[in-house]
Amino acid sequence: MPSLSYVAAVNRALRDEMARDERVCVLGEDVSQGITGLTKGLADVYGTGRVVDMPLSEQAFTSLATGAAIAGQRPVVEFQIPSLLYLVFEQIANQAHKFSLMTGGQASVPVTYLFPGSGSRSGMAGQHSDHPYSLLAHVGVKTAVPATPSDAYGLLLSAIREPDPVAVFAPTLLMGASEEIDDGDLAAVPLGSARVCREGTDVTVVAVGHLVPIALQVAAALAGEASIEVIDPRTVYPVDWETLGKSITRTGRLVVIDDSNRMCGFGSEIAATAVEEFGLTVPPMRLSRPDGAVIPYALNLDHALLPDAGGLVGAIRAVLR
Amino acid sequence: MRLIREFEEHCLEKALAGTIVGGIHPYIGQEAVAVGVSAHLRADDVITSTHRGHGHVLAKGADPKRALAELYGASTGLNRGRGGSMHAADVGLGIYGANGIVGAGAPIAVGAAWAARRAGHDDRVAVAFFGDGALSQGVVLEAFNMAALWSLPVLFVCENNGYATSLPVDRGLAGDPVRRAAGFGLTAAAVDGMDVEAVAEAAGQAVAACRTGAGPHFLECATYRFHGHHTVEHLMGTKYRDDDEVAGARARDPLTRQRARLAPEAADEVDAEIAALIAEAEAFASSSPGSDPRDALDYLYAGTVPARPGA
């Protein structure tokens, strides 16, 4: 079976949607060259009128996309590093996201924000290592963190077709990942639909992005000890509460592992809702970065702050005790 | 201009009385800018506006009844009571909204112009209105750069009313606005923003040039607001301009100047027509139903997301 890489899947989704819908265009820095790999070759096919290199003006081109979307285009904006979200938070949270409600539904803003290389990049230090998807979930911007190439393809397709703004975070540690899949099997993945990656009966592990394969490895390694269900929410907003709720209610135990900072992070929300609504038999556990973490340069310090397999094993054992 | 003036006088009264919640940013004194520019705009042209947006919205053709209803929070309002004064919009008329963040509309206007070109509407123009304070916002300068790079049909209209809230322009802005815009490659000019015919003349040339592909233009309109930045200033007694300065500006009232150019009968006719429109708007707005609090988050998304309650 042919192999599809994560980067190729994103590229394929952009290519397919641009072929399907003339209104889809790609805006961002270095996109005609495809420096991140995601947009490579698109300018050769669709021209630099649709794959548009932007000046280093993130705030202006984020809102340019808003104006273009209101006027009928379907822009995909690529940001070279996830920390640029802090620079354009006004344009996404305060302008694009609020436009539909503030105008009483006169128009929506169908822009897709693409954040490749999100999370620690090993040695890229404080300003290139954040994984800020929880911020957008908090604001209410639809936000996907695909964990596999086929999900990257399918979620990006849905994001582009969605009438509202949607952010898609591509985790650094997955950019090199591959999956055995036929191109013909690629399909849109609805926003707000979780994937049960492994079925189990003793504990539910909810994992996001690059932590999904780690959770699956841990579940396999502990198979003799416990039956672990692994769920990938795929979109951190909206959350598929139905799928999560069924699993957590059945197992009665929950561990959430995500690469947010702990305070007000995605894991906090899953844990709180589980406590309120899903009948846990023991308190939930969260694995995340520390409160307010800034990733240091030295690799051992960088890795020390990230949730990992060892921590997950400990948390699973703790809720099983 | 008379419609904007009377609408705003009415709103001022209602804001101070508390009927309009949140107060307003009065445009009174600046009417010549919105009217002079909008005289050259078609329904399919796009504008983005400021906090002080009533004048732009009305000049671009929004229904005064629905504009007032919006300020009353009614479901019949332009934005179904979700936007109020600072976000009034009529997207169907190309009005992409007043905006609560200074300068935020400029790149949105650039996006609308870029989209129009992509869609083959080469003669469609986008106008970004903003104040002198917005010239200190990086995003506005980024928008200048992008519009000039791609020679987009955008008219940037700087309404220099002399104050960014309470900060005098010479304490907030280095250099000269026209030279600043020209530095980005925009065709830039200054005009007396208290004279509607002067604004219309300059804007007419700029809009026509934009339509024929001459690239972005910048127009600095020297104007003045007769009232405070926001109606809260009335309540707080804030004072940062001396009475002589305000009186001097009032002596150059664009409505008085334009009236002198009209036959008295024609001016009286306009007055009567506007008085009837305002009375009609008040009757419509004050008798319009409010919204159901259970529907407060309607329109948050165009696609379906069931929002969980906060409590």
PDB file of all heavy atoms in Angstrom, chain A residues 77-111:
ATOM      1  N   VAL A  77      -4.598  30.795   5.153  1.00  0.00           N
ATOM      2  CA  VAL A  77      -3.444  31.599   5.539  1.00  0.00           C
ATOM      3  C   VAL A  77      -2.444  30.698   6.244  1.00  0.00           C
ATOM      4  O   VAL A  77      -2.773  30.054   7.243  1.00  0.00           O
ATOM      5  CB  VAL A  77      -3.854  32.736   6.504  1.00  0.00           C
ATOM      6  CG1 VAL A  77      -2.651  33.615   6.828  1.00  0.00           C
ATOM      7  CG2 VAL A  77      -4.968  33.582   5.897  1.00  0.00           C
ATOM      8  N   GLU A  78      -1.233  30.635   5.718  1.00  0.00           N
ATOM      9  CA  GLU A  78      -0.209  29.829   6.383  1.00  0.00           C
ATOM     10  C   GLU A  78       0.684  30.735   7.218  1.00  0.00           C
ATOM     11  O   GLU A  78       1.169  31.762   6.731  1.00  0.00           O
ATOM     12  CB  GLU A  78       0.656  29.066   5.365  1.00  0.00           C
ATOM     13  CG  GLU A  78       1.526  28.029   6.058  1.00  0.00           C
ATOM     14  CD  GLU A  78       2.722  27.555   5.219  1.00  0.00           C
ATOM     15  OE1 GLU A  78       3.336  28.380   4.528  1.00  0.00           O
ATOM     16  OE2 GLU A  78       3.037  26.374   5.276  1.00  0.00           O
ATOM     17  N   PHE A  79       0.891  30.329   8.488  1.00  0.00           N
ATOM     18  CA  PHE A  79       1.822  31.038   9.371  1.00  0.00           C
ATOM     19  C   PHE A  79       3.054  30.160   9.540  1.00  0.00           C
ATOM     20  O   PHE A  79       2.917  28.965   9.827  1.00  0.00           O
ATOM     21  CB  PHE A  79       1.176  31.309  10.730  1.00  0.00           C
ATOM     22  CG  PHE A  79      -0.023  32.206  10.632  1.00  0.00           C
ATOM     23  CD1 PHE A  79      -1.304  31.671  10.549  1.00  0.00           C
ATOM     24  CD2 PHE A  79       0.124  33.577  10.594  1.00  0.00           C
ATOM     25  CE1 PHE A  79      -2.414  32.490  10.438  1.00  0.00           C
ATOM     26  CE2 PHE A  79      -0.985  34.409  10.484  1.00  0.00           C
ATOM     27  CZ  PHE A  79      -2.250  33.866  10.402  1.00  0.00           C
ATOM     28  N   GLN A  80       4.226  30.749   9.391  1.00  0.00           N
ATOM     29  CA  GLN A  80       5.440  29.942   9.399  1.00  0.00           C
ATOM     30  C   GLN A  80       5.749  29.340  10.760  1.00  0.00           C
ATOM     31  O   GLN A  80       6.348  28.277  10.836  1.00  0.00           O
ATOM     32  CB  GLN A  80       6.615  30.788   8.916  1.00  0.00           C
ATOM     33  CG  GLN A  80       6.434  31.292   7.510  1.00  0.00           C
ATOM     34  CD  GLN A  80       6.730  30.234   6.466  1.00  0.00           C
ATOM     35  OE1 GLN A  80       7.775  29.617   6.492  1.00  0.00           O
ATOM     36  NE2 GLN A  80       5.797  29.989   5.559  1.00  0.00           N
ATOM     37  N   ILE A  81       5.375  30.031  11.812  1.00  0.00           N
ATOM     38  CA  ILE A  81       5.586  29.464  13.148  1.00  0.00           C
ATOM     39  C   ILE A  81       4.339  29.745  13.996  1.00  0.00           C
ATOM     40  O   ILE A  81       3.683  30.777  13.841  1.00  0.00           O
ATOM     41  CB  ILE A  81       6.838  30.039  13.864  1.00  0.00           C
ATOM     42  CG1 ILE A  81       6.764  31.560  13.984  1.00  0.00           C
ATOM     43  CG2 ILE A  81       8.125  29.611  13.172  1.00  0.00           C
ATOM     44  CD1 ILE A  81       7.791  32.136  14.920  1.00  0.00           C
ATOM     45  N   PRO A  82       4.017  28.835  14.912  1.00  0.00           N
ATOM     46  CA  PRO A  82       2.777  28.981  15.680  1.00  0.00           C
ATOM     47  C   PRO A  82       2.756  30.204  16.586  1.00  0.00           C
ATOM     48  O   PRO A  82       1.684  30.738  16.870  1.00  0.00           O
ATOM     49  CB  PRO A  82       2.707  27.687  16.493  1.00  0.00           C
ATOM     50  CG  PRO A  82       4.048  27.078  16.423  1.00  0.00           C
ATOM     51  CD  PRO A  82       4.682  27.544  15.168  1.00  0.00           C
ATOM     52  N   SER A  83       3.924  30.666  17.030  1.00  0.00           N
ATOM     53  CA  SER A  83       3.934  31.831  17.928  1.00  0.00           C
ATOM     54  C   SER A  83       3.439  33.090  17.226  1.00  0.00           C
ATOM     55  O   SER A  83       3.123  34.087  17.880  1.00  0.00           O
ATOM     56  CB  SER A  83       5.338  32.075  18.485  1.00  0.00           C
ATOM     57  OG  SER A  83       5.769  30.940  19.198  1.00  0.00           O
ATOM     58  N   LEU A  84       3.357  33.063  15.911  1.00  0.00           N
ATOM     59  CA  LEU A  84       2.792  34.223  15.216  1.00  0.00           C
ATOM     60  C   LEU A  84       1.329  34.425  15.575  1.00  0.00           C
ATOM     61  O   LEU A  84       0.771  35.502  15.368  1.00  0.00           O
ATOM     62  CB  LEU A  84       2.958  34.074  13.699  1.00  0.00           C
ATOM     63  CG  LEU A  84       4.404  34.164  13.209  1.00  0.00           C
ATOM     64  CD1 LEU A  84       4.498  33.844  11.728  1.00  0.00           C
ATOM     65  CD2 LEU A  84       4.978  35.555  13.480  1.00  0.00           C
ATOM     66  N   LEU A  85       0.716  33.387  16.138  1.00  0.00           N
ATOM     67  CA  LEU A  85      -0.662  33.548  16.609  1.00  0.00           C
ATOM     68  C   LEU A  85      -0.778  34.714  17.592  1.00  0.00           C
ATOM     69  O   LEU A  85      -1.776  35.431  17.599  1.00  0.00           O
ATOM     70  CB  LEU A  85      -1.146  32.251  17.276  1.00  0.00           C
ATOM     71  CG  LEU A  85      -2.525  32.301  17.917  1.00  0.00           C
ATOM     72  CD1 LEU A  85      -3.608  32.680  16.911  1.00  0.00           C
ATOM     73  CD2 LEU A  85      -2.877  30.972  18.559  1.00  0.00           C
ATOM     74  N   TYR A  86       0.266  34.893  18.423  1.00  0.00           N
ATOM     75  CA  TYR A  86       0.195  35.993  19.399  1.00  0.00           C
ATOM     76  C   TYR A  86       0.157  37.346  18.681  1.00  0.00           C
ATOM     77  O   TYR A  86      -0.460  38.287  19.151  1.00  0.00           O
ATOM     78  CB  TYR A  86       1.402  35.940  20.354  1.00  0.00           C
ATOM     79  CG  TYR A  86       1.560  34.604  21.043  1.00  0.00           C
ATOM     80  CD1 TYR A  86       2.798  33.982  21.153  1.00  0.00           C
ATOM     81  CD2 TYR A  86       0.461  33.939  21.579  1.00  0.00           C
ATOM     82  CE1 TYR A  86       2.938  32.757  21.766  1.00  0.00           C
ATOM     83  CE2 TYR A  86       0.599  32.704  22.193  1.00  0.00           C
ATOM     84  CZ  TYR A  86       1.829  32.116  22.282  1.00  0.00           C
ATOM     85  OH  TYR A  86       1.955  30.901  22.889  1.00  0.00           O
ATOM     86  N   LEU A  87       0.828  37.410  17.558  1.00  0.00           N
ATOM     87  CA  LEU A  87       0.869  38.655  16.800  1.00  0.00           C
ATOM     88  C   LEU A  87      -0.482  38.950  16.138  1.00  0.00           C
ATOM     89  O   LEU A  87      -0.877  40.105  16.002  1.00  0.00           O
ATOM     90  CB  LEU A  87       1.974  38.533  15.733  1.00  0.00           C
ATOM     91  CG  LEU A  87       2.468  39.787  15.053  1.00  0.00           C
ATOM     92  CD1 LEU A  87       2.976  40.793  16.063  1.00  0.00           C
ATOM     93  CD2 LEU A  87       3.594  39.430  14.087  1.00  0.00           C
ATOM     94  N   VAL A  88      -1.177  37.905  15.726  1.00  0.00           N
ATOM     95  CA  VAL A  88      -2.406  38.100  14.952  1.00  0.00           C
ATOM     96  C   VAL A  88      -3.657  37.739  15.748  1.00  0.00           C
ATOM     97  O   VAL A  88      -4.727  37.552  15.169  1.00  0.00           O
ATOM     98  CB  VAL A  88      -2.379  37.279  13.642  1.00  0.00           C
ATOM     99  CG1 VAL A  88      -1.201  37.701  12.783  1.00  0.00           C
ATOM    100  CG2 VAL A  88      -2.324  35.788  13.906  1.00  0.00           C
ATOM    101  N   PHE A  89      -3.509  37.696  17.057  1.00  0.00           N
ATOM    102  CA  PHE A  89      -4.673  37.320  17.875  1.00  0.00           C
ATOM    103  C   PHE A  89      -5.806  38.331  17.703  1.00  0.00           C
ATOM    104  O   PHE A  89      -6.978  37.963  17.659  1.00  0.00           O
ATOM    105  CB  PHE A  89      -4.259  37.214  19.347  1.00  0.00           C
ATOM    106  CG  PHE A  89      -5.080  36.207  20.098  1.00  0.00           C
ATOM    107  CD1 PHE A  89      -5.019  34.867  19.757  1.00  0.00           C
ATOM    108  CD2 PHE A  89      -5.922  36.582  21.135  1.00  0.00           C
ATOM    109  CE1 PHE A  89      -5.783  33.922  20.426  1.00  0.00           C
ATOM    110  CE2 PHE A  89      -6.688  35.652  21.809  1.00  0.00           C
ATOM    111  CZ  PHE A  89      -6.612  34.312  21.462  1.00  0.00           C
ATOM    112  N   GLU A  90      -5.465  39.589  17.595  1.00  0.00           N
ATOM    113  CA  GLU A  90      -6.490  40.626  17.373  1.00  0.00           C
ATOM    114  C   GLU A  90      -7.266  40.319  16.095  1.00  0.00           C
ATOM    115  O   GLU A  90      -8.497  40.342  16.074  1.00  0.00           O
ATOM    116  CB  GLU A  90      -5.814  41.996  17.277  1.00  0.00           C
ATOM    117  CG  GLU A  90      -6.720  43.194  17.524  1.00  0.00           C
ATOM    118  CD  GLU A  90      -7.709  43.535  16.426  1.00  0.00           C
ATOM    119  OE1 GLU A  90      -7.342  43.627  15.247  1.00  0.00           O
ATOM    120  OE2 GLU A  90      -8.890  43.714  16.764  1.00  0.00           O
ATOM    121  N   GLN A  91      -6.506  40.032  15.043  1.00  0.00           N
ATOM    122  CA  GLN A  91      -7.143  39.850  13.733  1.00  0.00           C
ATOM    123  C   GLN A  91      -7.995  38.576  13.686  1.00  0.00           C
ATOM    124  O   GLN A  91      -9.004  38.544  12.986  1.00  0.00           O
ATOM    125  CB  GLN A  91      -6.060  39.804  12.642  1.00  0.00           C
ATOM    126  CG  GLN A  91      -5.422  41.159  12.343  1.00  0.00           C
ATOM    127  CD  GLN A  91      -4.480  41.669  13.412  1.00  0.00           C
ATOM    128  OE1 GLN A  91      -3.891  40.899  14.173  1.00  0.00           O
ATOM    129  NE2 GLN A  91      -4.325  42.978  13.494  1.00  0.00           N
ATOM    130  N   ILE A  92      -7.608  37.539  14.421  1.00  0.00           N
ATOM    131  CA  ILE A  92      -8.399  36.301  14.406  1.00  0.00           C
ATOM    132  C   ILE A  92      -9.517  36.363  15.449  1.00  0.00           C
ATOM    133  O   ILE A  92     -10.691  36.170  15.137  1.00  0.00           O
ATOM    134  CB  ILE A  92      -7.505  35.068  14.658  1.00  0.00           C
ATOM    135  CG1 ILE A  92      -6.506  34.894  13.509  1.00  0.00           C
ATOM    136  CG2 ILE A  92      -8.360  33.801  14.800  1.00  0.00           C
ATOM    137  CD1 ILE A  92      -5.522  33.737  13.693  1.00  0.00           C
ATOM    138  N   ALA A  93      -9.133  36.647  16.703  1.00  0.00           N
ATOM    139  CA  ALA A  93     -10.108  36.546  17.799  1.00  0.00           C
ATOM    140  C   ALA A  93     -11.097  37.704  17.809  1.00  0.00           C
ATOM    141  O   ALA A  93     -12.283  37.530  18.084  1.00  0.00           O
ATOM    142  CB  ALA A  93      -9.370  36.489  19.140  1.00  0.00           C
ATOM    143  N   ASN A  94     -10.592  38.878  17.488  1.00  0.00           N
ATOM    144  CA  ASN A  94     -11.400  40.085  17.676  1.00  0.00           C
ATOM    145  C   ASN A  94     -12.095  40.548  16.402  1.00  0.00           C
ATOM    146  O   ASN A  94     -13.101  41.254  16.476  1.00  0.00           O
ATOM    147  CB  ASN A  94     -10.493  41.209  18.193  1.00  0.00           C
ATOM    148  CG  ASN A  94     -11.200  42.172  19.091  1.00  0.00           C
ATOM    149  OD1 ASN A  94     -12.179  41.826  19.754  1.00  0.00           O
ATOM    150  ND2 ASN A  94     -10.725  43.396  19.136  1.00  0.00           N
ATOM    151  N   GLN A  95     -11.532  40.169  15.256  1.00  0.00           N
ATOM    152  CA  GLN A  95     -12.140  40.582  13.988  1.00  0.00           C
ATOM    153  C   GLN A  95     -12.852  39.391  13.329  1.00  0.00           C
ATOM    154  O   GLN A  95     -14.067  39.349  13.273  1.00  0.00           O
ATOM    155  CB  GLN A  95     -11.078  41.178  13.044  1.00  0.00           C
ATOM    156  CG  GLN A  95     -10.309  42.373  13.624  1.00  0.00           C
ATOM    157  CD  GLN A  95     -11.144  43.633  13.793  1.00  0.00           C
ATOM    158  OE1 GLN A  95     -12.139  43.829  13.113  1.00  0.00           O
ATOM    159  NE2 GLN A  95     -10.748  44.492  14.719  1.00  0.00           N
ATOM    160  N   ALA A  96     -12.077  38.423  12.837  1.00  0.00           N
ATOM    161  CA  ALA A  96     -12.676  37.341  12.039  1.00  0.00           C
ATOM    162  C   ALA A  96     -13.711  36.544  12.845  1.00  0.00           C
ATOM    163  O   ALA A  96     -14.835  36.320  12.380  1.00  0.00           O
ATOM    164  CB  ALA A  96     -11.578  36.409  11.530  1.00  0.00           C
ATOM    165  N   HIS A  97     -13.332  36.128  14.042  1.00  0.00           N
ATOM    166  CA  HIS A  97     -14.234  35.284  14.836  1.00  0.00           C
ATOM    167  C   HIS A  97     -15.524  36.009  15.212  1.00  0.00           C
ATOM    168  O   HIS A  97     -16.586  35.412  15.269  1.00  0.00           O
ATOM    169  CB  HIS A  97     -13.501  34.820  16.103  1.00  0.00           C
ATOM    170  CG  HIS A  97     -14.387  34.162  17.106  1.00  0.00           C
ATOM    171  ND1 HIS A  97     -15.124  33.027  16.819  1.00  0.00           N
ATOM    172  CD2 HIS A  97     -14.670  34.480  18.394  1.00  0.00           C
ATOM    173  CE1 HIS A  97     -15.822  32.675  17.893  1.00  0.00           C
ATOM    174  NE2 HIS A  97     -15.571  33.543  18.855  1.00  0.00           N
ATOM    175  N   LYS A  98     -15.425  37.285  15.479  1.00  0.00           N
ATOM    176  CA  LYS A  98     -16.599  38.008  15.995  1.00  0.00           C
ATOM    177  C   LYS A  98     -17.521  38.550  14.908  1.00  0.00           C
ATOM    178  O   LYS A  98     -18.609  39.038  15.203  1.00  0.00           O
ATOM    179  CB  LYS A  98     -16.136  39.165  16.894  1.00  0.00           C
ATOM    180  CG  LYS A  98     -15.479  38.674  18.185  1.00  0.00           C
ATOM    181  CD  LYS A  98     -15.056  39.838  19.078  1.00  0.00           C
ATOM    182  CE  LYS A  98     -14.442  39.306  20.368  1.00  0.00           C
ATOM    183  NZ  LYS A  98     -13.895  40.406  21.198  1.00  0.00           N
ATOM    184  N   PHE A  99     -17.044  38.481  13.676  1.00  0.00           N
ATOM    185  CA  PHE A  99     -17.778  39.187  12.617  1.00  0.00           C
ATOM    186  C   PHE A  99     -19.200  38.673  12.439  1.00  0.00           C
ATOM    187  O   PHE A  99     -20.143  39.455  12.301  1.00  0.00           O
ATOM    188  CB  PHE A  99     -17.010  39.096  11.293  1.00  0.00           C
ATOM    189  CG  PHE A  99     -17.520  40.044  10.250  1.00  0.00           C
ATOM    190  CD1 PHE A  99     -17.148  41.378  10.260  1.00  0.00           C
ATOM    191  CD2 PHE A  99     -18.405  39.618   9.268  1.00  0.00           C
ATOM    192  CE1 PHE A  99     -17.631  42.268   9.317  1.00  0.00           C
ATOM    193  CE2 PHE A  99     -18.898  40.503   8.305  1.00  0.00           C
ATOM    194  CZ  PHE A  99     -18.508  41.829   8.340  1.00  0.00           C
ATOM    195  N   SER A 100     -19.365  37.369  12.460  1.00  0.00           N
ATOM    196  CA  SER A 100     -20.694  36.807  12.204  1.00  0.00           C
ATOM    197  C   SER A 100     -21.691  37.254  13.279  1.00  0.00           C
ATOM    198  O   SER A 100     -22.770  37.764  12.970  1.00  0.00           O
ATOM    199  CB  SER A 100     -20.619  35.278  12.147  1.00  0.00           C
ATOM    200  OG  SER A 100     -21.896  34.741  11.965  1.00  0.00           O
ATOM    201  N   LEU A 101     -21.325  37.088  14.527  1.00  0.00           N
ATOM    202  CA  LEU A 101     -22.266  37.490  15.581  1.00  0.00           C
ATOM    203  C   LEU A 101     -22.499  38.989  15.588  1.00  0.00           C
ATOM    204  O   LEU A 101     -23.647  39.452  15.643  1.00  0.00           O
ATOM    205  CB  LEU A 101     -21.787  37.050  16.970  1.00  0.00           C
ATOM    206  CG  LEU A 101     -22.829  37.395  18.025  1.00  0.00           C
ATOM    207  CD1 LEU A 101     -23.127  36.231  18.950  1.00  0.00           C
ATOM    208  CD2 LEU A 101     -22.491  38.632  18.835  1.00  0.00           C
ATOM    209  N   MET A 102     -21.412  39.758  15.487  1.00  0.00           N
ATOM    210  CA  MET A 102     -21.565  41.217  15.595  1.00  0.00           C
ATOM    211  C   MET A 102     -22.409  41.806  14.473  1.00  0.00           C
ATOM    212  O   MET A 102     -23.011  42.854  14.643  1.00  0.00           O
ATOM    213  CB  MET A 102     -20.190  41.901  15.624  1.00  0.00           C
ATOM    214  CG  MET A 102     -19.419  41.645  16.897  1.00  0.00           C
ATOM    215  SD  MET A 102     -18.056  42.821  17.171  1.00  0.00           S
ATOM    216  CE  MET A 102     -17.126  42.662  15.668  1.00  0.00           C
ATOM    217  N   THR A 103     -22.433  41.128  13.324  1.00  0.00           N
ATOM    218  CA  THR A 103     -23.251  41.640  12.224  1.00  0.00           C
ATOM    219  C   THR A 103     -24.617  40.969  12.189  1.00  0.00           C
ATOM    220  O   THR A 103     -25.362  41.150  11.216  1.00  0.00           O
ATOM    221  CB  THR A 103     -22.549  41.445  10.866  1.00  0.00           C
ATOM    222  OG1 THR A 103     -22.318  40.043  10.654  1.00  0.00           O
ATOM    223  CG2 THR A 103     -21.233  42.187  10.795  1.00  0.00           C
ATOM    224  N   GLY A 104     -24.942  40.214  13.223  1.00  0.00           N
ATOM    225  CA  GLY A 104     -26.241  39.546  13.235  1.00  0.00           C
ATOM    226  C   GLY A 104     -26.370  38.525  12.118  1.00  0.00           C
ATOM    227  O   GLY A 104     -27.449  38.335  11.561  1.00  0.00           O
ATOM    228  N   GLY A 105     -25.243  37.870  11.781  1.00  0.00           N
ATOM    229  CA  GLY A 105     -25.283  36.798  10.788  1.00  0.00           C
ATOM    230  C   GLY A 105     -25.313  37.273   9.344  1.00  0.00           C
ATOM    231  O   GLY A 105     -25.611  36.481   8.449  1.00  0.00           O
ATOM    232  N   GLN A 106     -24.975  38.543   9.103  1.00  0.00           N
ATOM    233  CA  GLN A 106     -24.986  39.028   7.707  1.00  0.00           C
ATOM    234  C   GLN A 106     -23.948  38.326   6.843  1.00  0.00           C
ATOM    235  O   GLN A 106     -24.140  38.148   5.653  1.00  0.00           O
ATOM    236  CB  GLN A 106     -24.706  40.528   7.659  1.00  0.00           C
ATOM    237  CG  GLN A 106     -25.824  41.386   8.203  1.00  0.00           C
ATOM    238  CD  GLN A 106     -25.433  42.855   8.158  1.00  0.00           C
ATOM    239  OE1 GLN A 106     -25.078  43.375   7.124  1.00  0.00           O
ATOM    240  NE2 GLN A 106     -25.491  43.525   9.294  1.00  0.00           N
ATOM    241  N   ALA A 107     -22.842  37.996   7.443  1.00  0.00           N
ATOM    242  CA  ALA A 107     -21.786  37.314   6.684  1.00  0.00           C
ATOM    243  C   ALA A 107     -20.897  36.574   7.668  1.00  0.00           C
ATOM    244  O   ALA A 107     -20.794  36.952   8.835  1.00  0.00           O
ATOM    245  CB  ALA A 107     -20.946  38.322   5.901  1.00  0.00           C
ATOM    246  N   SER A 108     -20.265  35.524   7.195  1.00  0.00           N
ATOM    247  CA  SER A 108     -19.293  34.832   8.027  1.00  0.00           C
ATOM    248  C   SER A 108     -17.927  34.977   7.355  1.00  0.00           C
ATOM    249  O   SER A 108     -17.809  35.591   6.298  1.00  0.00           O
ATOM    250  CB  SER A 108     -19.672  33.368   8.186  1.00  0.00           C
ATOM    251  OG  SER A 108     -19.647  32.747   6.919  1.00  0.00           O
ATOM    252  N   VAL A 109     -16.927  34.427   8.002  1.00  0.00           N
ATOM    253  CA  VAL A 109     -15.552  34.637   7.548  1.00  0.00           C
ATOM    254  C   VAL A 109     -14.882  33.273   7.327  1.00  0.00           C
ATOM    255  O   VAL A 109     -14.237  32.737   8.219  1.00  0.00           O
ATOM    256  CB  VAL A 109     -14.781  35.483   8.585  1.00  0.00           C
ATOM    257  CG1 VAL A 109     -13.341  35.733   8.115  1.00  0.00           C
ATOM    258  CG2 VAL A 109     -15.481  36.817   8.830  1.00  0.00           C
ATOM    259  N   PRO A 110     -15.053  32.703   6.144  1.00  0.00           N
ATOM    260  CA  PRO A 110     -14.495  31.370   5.894  1.00  0.00           C
ATOM    261  C   PRO A 110     -13.002  31.391   5.585  1.00  0.00           C
ATOM    262  O   PRO A 110     -12.591  31.191   4.455  1.00  0.00           O
ATOM    263  CB  PRO A 110     -15.306  30.874   4.688  1.00  0.00           C
ATOM    264  CG  PRO A 110     -15.689  32.121   3.962  1.00  0.00           C
ATOM    265  CD  PRO A 110     -15.860  33.195   4.999  1.00  0.00           C
ATOM    266  N   VAL A 111     -12.204  31.629   6.629  1.00  0.00           N
ATOM    267  CA  VAL A 111     -10.742  31.618   6.474  1.00  0.00           C
ATOM    268  C   VAL A 111     -10.196  30.393   7.208  1.00  0.00           C
ATOM    269  O   VAL A 111     -10.694  30.036   8.273  1.00  0.00           O
ATOM    270  CB  VAL A 111     -10.101  32.888   7.076  1.00  0.00           C
ATOM    271  CG1 VAL A 111      -8.582  32.839   6.933  1.00  0.00           C
ATOM    272  CG2 VAL A 111     -10.635  34.144   6.413  1.00  0.00           C
TER     273      VAL A 111
END
